[in-house]
Amino acid sequence: MALFSQPTARALAILDLLMANPQQAFGLTEMTRRLNLNKATCHAILTTMSNYGFLVQHPKTKAYRLGPSIIAAGNAAFAQFPVLEYARPELESLNSDLSLGFAVTARSKLHQVLLALYGNATPLMDSFQLGLRLPNTAPIAACFTAFSPAKQLEAWLTRAHESRGGYNERLDQKLRVSVIAIRARGFEVTLKTRAEEELTRELTRIHQSWSLEELEEATNKYQQDACLEHYHLDRIDPKARYDVSTIAVPVFVYRQVPVMCFVAGSMAAPITGAQIEDIAGRMKQSADKVTRLASGHEHSGV
């Protein structure tokens, strides 16, 4: 079992709460209520984080916001992930031209992370905003996995089987078909599900009583339930209509594995297969442009 540090989790819960509510500041009383922390414990953490500049406290209201050290950390991370600089104008243009919401996601070993939003992406993403972490476990994050080495695919599948209590041949075959389809056409399409509706409700509820443990429990349940539903659209009929949740395309830098994905959402009504392909085509053009810019080939024709 992985080691777990409760004091670290408390500090991270504070950062998570403030990242997910960037327009709000929180006083000690509200912070302790939301995080279900002892007041003395919470005050000690907040004071320490403020002393080191990770939080700032308003001199009159005494409410806390993210501080300059977090900005410095963000800028340092941004410098190591400059592809986002090239992505911003492309996604702003897509948001304006297509009247859809867009998001940027990245992947760590165990999570898919929401990095940026342009417009209203999906009810799920909007219910949490930046920093949303979903399990990097099948069927989630398939757009990353489809273009990754075989060992990452097998690990992604294994985590899904373990989450469901053991190997399931039917599930394994279904997930492999989805990955093959995504890789063949170059983009992922997910459908609206009951699992997504339930997670959206849970995230909205958790906003009122913040807990990293509850967040992890809710997102893990979402992943497990999604395994049982028609989550991926594997075959696209141009004339048929589909209740689409997201369309995702990978963004590469050195033509190896995706560094991030562009994700379109907020389709209010079912759309045709032809519309899916048109949207994905526009997104792929933008993703290819970002790849060329980030790899220094914009003017070389590579």
Side-chain angles (χ1 to χ4, degrees), residues 4 73 83 96 177 223 243 259-260 267 289:
F4 181 82
V83 68
S96 176
V177 167
Q223 174 270 319
D243 206 5
V259 294
M260 62 187 187
M267 279 67 87
K289 183 176 180 180

Side-chain angles (χ1 to χ4, degrees), residues 207-241:
H207 257 297
Q208 303 306 314
S209 180
W210 208 257
S211 165
L212 287 181
E213 291 86 350
E214 285 190 39
L215 285 169
E216 184 173 7
E217 181 179 337
T219 55
N220 285 342
K221 185 177 186 304
Y222 166 64
Q223 174 270 319
Q224 294 163 19
D225 291 347
C227 288
L228 303 177
E229 296 198 63
H230 189 192
Y231 184 82
H232 282 115
L233 181 59
D234 297 327
R235 286 188 172 185
I236 301 176
D237 180 345
K239 296 181 180 180
R241 289 188 172 274

Side-chain angles (χ1 to χ4, degrees), residues 63-75:
Y64 293 88
R65 289 184 180 274
L66 296 175
S69 292
I70 286 292
I71 297 173
N75 286 336

Side-chain angles (χ1 to χ4, degrees), residues 36-57:
N36 194 28
L37 290 177
N38 173 275
K39 198 167 187 176
T41 298
C42 188
H43 185 255
I45 297 171
L46 292 171
T47 300
T48 302
M49 295 176 75
S50 297
N51 288 343
Y52 284 92
F54 289 96
L55 302 178
V56 291
Q57 188 179 28

Side-chain angles (χ1 to χ4, degrees), residues 116-129:
L117 285 172
Y118 301 86
N120 297 320
T122 69
L124 172 58
M125 292 178 179
D126 293 339
S127 68
F128 192 99
Q129 296 190 11

Side-chain angles (χ1 to χ4, degrees), residues 17-302:
L17 175 62
L18 293 171
M19 283 194 303
N21 298 275
Q23 307 305 320
Q24 288 183 253
F26 294 88
L28 175 61
T29 299
E30 177 68 4
M31 193 82 75
T32 55
R33 184 187 71 79
R34 289 283 195 109
L35 301 177
N36 194 28
L37 290 177
N38 173 275
K39 198 167 187 176
T41 298
C42 188
H43 185 255
I45 297 171
L46 292 171
T47 300
T48 302
M49 295 176 75
S50 297
N51 288 343
Y52 284 92
F54 289 96
L55 302 178
V56 291
Q57 188 179 28
H58 193 281
K60 292 184 178 179
T61 67
K62 304 301 182 183
Y64 293 88
R65 289 184 180 274
L66 296 175
S69 292
I70 286 292
I71 297 173
N75 286 336
F78 195 83
Q80 296 179 28
F81 204 65
V83 68
L84 273 176
E85 183 74 25
Y86 303 114
R88 181 185 294 115
E90 290 299 314
L91 288 164
E92 288 175 345
S93 178
L94 286 171
N95 173 234
S96 176
D97 293 346
L98 299 177
S99 298
L100 295 174
F102 285 88
V104 179
T105 59
R107 173 182 61 169
S108 65
K109 181 178 180 181
L110 296 179
H111 295 100
Q112 176 180 270
V113 184
L114 177 60
L115 300 183
L117 285 172
Y118 301 86
N120 297 320
T122 69
L124 172 58
M125 292 178 179
D126 293 339
S127 68
F128 192 99
Q129 296 190 11
L130 302 183
L132 172 63
R133 290 184 300 274
L134 297 177
N136 178 19
T137 301
I140 302 166
C143 194
F144 286 100
T145 305
F147 301 93
S148 298
K151 64 179 182 180
Q152 292 187 22
L153 166 64
E154 296 306 323
W156 181 76
L157 291 168
T158 297
R159 290 193 294 273
H161 291 305
E162 290 175 347
S163 76
R164 299 291 308 167
Y167 178 78
N168 183 293
E169 184 175 1
R170 177 177 290 184
L171 174 62
D172 194 83
Q173 292 176 349
K174 180 178 77 168
L175 293 170
R176 290 179 188 275
V177 167
S178 294
V179 167
I180 292 169
I182 293 166
R183 189 177 182 93
R185 65 175 176 240
F187 62 93
E188 175 191 23
V189 181
T190 68
L191 300 171
K192 294 177 181 177
T193 61
R194 290 187 299 274
E196 182 178 318
E197 292 176 358
E198 183 177 345
L199 178 58
T200 301
R201 287 193 296 270
E202 277 295 287
L203 292 178
T204 302
R205 179 189 64 79
I206 291 170
H207 257 297
Q208 303 306 314
S209 180
W210 208 257
S211 165
L212 287 181
E213 291 86 350
E214 285 190 39
L215 285 169
E216 184 173 7
E217 181 179 337
T219 55
N220 285 342
K221 185 177 186 304
Y222 166 64
Q223 174 270 319
Q224 294 163 19
D225 291 347
C227 288
L228 303 177
E229 296 198 63
H230 189 192
Y231 184 82
H232 282 115
L233 181 59
D234 297 327
R235 286 188 172 185
I236 301 176
D237 180 345
K239 296 181 180 180
R241 289 188 172 274
Y242 303 98
D243 206 5
V244 174
S245 176
T246 64
I247 301 170
V249 302
V251 179
F252 303 87
V253 174
Y254 298 110
R255 302 289 182 182
Q256 296 174 352
V257 298
V259 294
M260 62 187 187
C261 287
F262 291 168
V263 184
S266 66
M267 279 67 87
I271 60 176
T272 66
Q275 288 175 301
I276 292 172
E277 291 171 346
D278 287 344
I279 294 168
R282 286 291 309 279
M283 293 171 68
K284 288 170 72 176
Q285 288 176 1
S286 291
D288 289 344
K289 183 176 180 180
V290 170
T291 295
R292 292 195 301 271
L293 287 167
S295 56
H297 298 310
E298 172 62 15
H299 302 294
S300 68
V302 177

